[in-house]
Amino acid sequence: MTPQPNYRVKRVYDAPDADDGRRVLVDRLWPRGISKQAAGIDEWAKDVTPTTELRKWFHADPLTRRAEFERRYRIELADDEHREGLARLRQEAAEGPLTLVTATKDPEHSHLPVLLDELRETRRADRR
């Protein structure tokens, strides 16, 4: 039996750690005030992030738009570009720890729970 991938979430402003494994930025925009060297990013996976239009729409009213944001983001994640990005991240996580890095102040109330769920769902779908 193949071990479950090890996904982690960390803010880009937190120092990189040896246990992070591969560090992948999963934000559409580069974080303000941090250099690429200080961020310690191995990959910038824009192809699994919400589109600019969806991101702006959600940020205009995140409290009341959460459920609809999740629905729309899942639709985006089902397109070819996003599916390829999900497959790539899934493969990287199968090879060792994968830390999803974000500048989001509150990762639990961002796109990350949906992304993690879809990464795990992709994994389950591949085993069928």
Side-chain angles (χ1 to χ4, degrees), residues 54-67:
L54 181 58
R55 181 181 53 79
K56 287 180 176 182
W57 175 84
F58 176 59
H59 287 288
D61 190 3
L63 294 177
T64 61
R65 293 180 174 179
R66 180 76 200 165

Side-chain angles (χ1 to χ4, degrees), residues 51-112:
T51 59
T52 299
E53 296 78 19
L54 181 58
R55 181 181 53 79
K56 287 180 176 182
W57 175 84
F58 176 59
H59 287 288
D61 190 3
L63 294 177
T64 61
R65 293 180 174 179
R66 180 76 200 165
E68 181 63 12
F69 167 77
E70 289 182 8
R71 187 188 74 75
R72 291 181 185 189
Y73 184 34
R74 287 181 195 282
I75 290 169
E76 287 185 357
L77 288 171
D79 72 23
D80 289 341
E81 179 184 2
H82 284 83
R83 278 193 324 220
E84 288 175 16
L86 290 170
R88 185 185 68 254
L89 292 179
R90 187 199 73 241
Q91 179 60 41
E92 291 171 6
E95 295 168 4
L98 183 72
T99 299
L100 304 179
V101 181
T102 183
T104 305
K105 291 179 186 176
D106 187 4
E108 290 183 23
H109 296 100
S110 71
H111 65 290
L112 284 163

Side-chain angles (χ1 to χ4, degrees), residues 11-28:
R11 292 196 68 227
V12 72
Y13 303 105
D14 298 331
D17 188 320
D19 294 338
D20 287 347
R22 187 163 176 78
R23 291 171 52 89
V24 179
L25 181 65
V26 289
D27 289 341
R28 176 96 20 197

